[in-house]
Amino acid sequence: MENKELKERFINEKTGIEYIKKGDYYFPNLVDSASVNPKELSKYGKLRLKYLLEHKKEEYTILWTENKLRSHLLEIDKTANERFSLLMKQFAEQEKITEELKASNQIE
């Protein structure tokens, strides 16, 4: 049997995943760009992450392995914050709440 020189890295043509040799084994080079820093998220992004971890573990794993978790959480966070702002603006208009009213009579 001939001694083939094993490469340190190679990309599987079928899956497109890069593998790195560590010791005698090849491991997939999964870049953890899907992870998100909790400081990047506000309330709604953190709530979505908690929900995924507690109730939708499969969906969390799929998003993480496809490097889509970070973008998913940031998108949810942005959308929820925009909706919250819109709803608060509509509520203030409906109740006739103005900055002058808040400054002059906070109880009202």
Side-chain angles (χ1 to χ4, degrees):
M1 186 170 178
E2 57 182 80
N3 187 3
K4 291 185 179 179
E5 184 178 323
L6 299 176
K7 298 178 184 177
E8 289 296 315
R9 295 172 172 250
F10 77 92
I11 297 176
N12 185 328
E13 302 283 330
K14 203 174 199 181
T15 62
I17 297 174
E18 180 183 28
Y19 289 86
I20 299 174
K21 183 180 177 191
K22 294 193 179 182
D24 293 337
Y25 301 99
Y26 282 102
F27 293 97
N29 184 17
L30 298 176
V31 179
D32 199 11
S33 64
S35 293
V36 71
N37 185 349
K39 293 179 183 176
E40 289 182 276
L41 300 174
S42 67
K43 175 184 178 180
Y44 303 106
K46 290 176 184 175
L47 286 172
R48 177 66 177 168
L49 178 59
K50 182 178 179 184
Y51 174 77
L52 288 172
L53 287 170
E54 292 178 1
H55 303 289
K56 299 284 186 177
K57 193 68 173 172
E58 297 83 16
E59 187 176 347
Y60 169 84
T61 305
I62 290 168
L63 287 168
W64 185 83
T65 55
E66 293 178 352
N67 286 335
K68 295 180 181 177
L69 178 64
R70 183 175 184 273
S71 60
H72 173 75
L73 293 174
L74 291 172
E75 180 182 341
I76 294 291
D77 193 52
K78 179 184 173 196
T79 304
N81 279 316
E82 288 173 356
R83 286 187 187 169
F84 178 77
S85 296
L86 178 65
L87 288 172
M88 290 308 293
K89 184 178 177 184
Q90 290 174 349
F91 177 72
E93 289 172 1
Q94 180 183 354
E95 296 295 321
K96 298 180 176 79
I97 299 172
T98 61
E99 292 299 319
E100 298 87 32
L101 178 64
K102 288 194 281 183
S104 63
N105 190 351
Q106 295 179 1
I107 295 175
E108 231 182 281

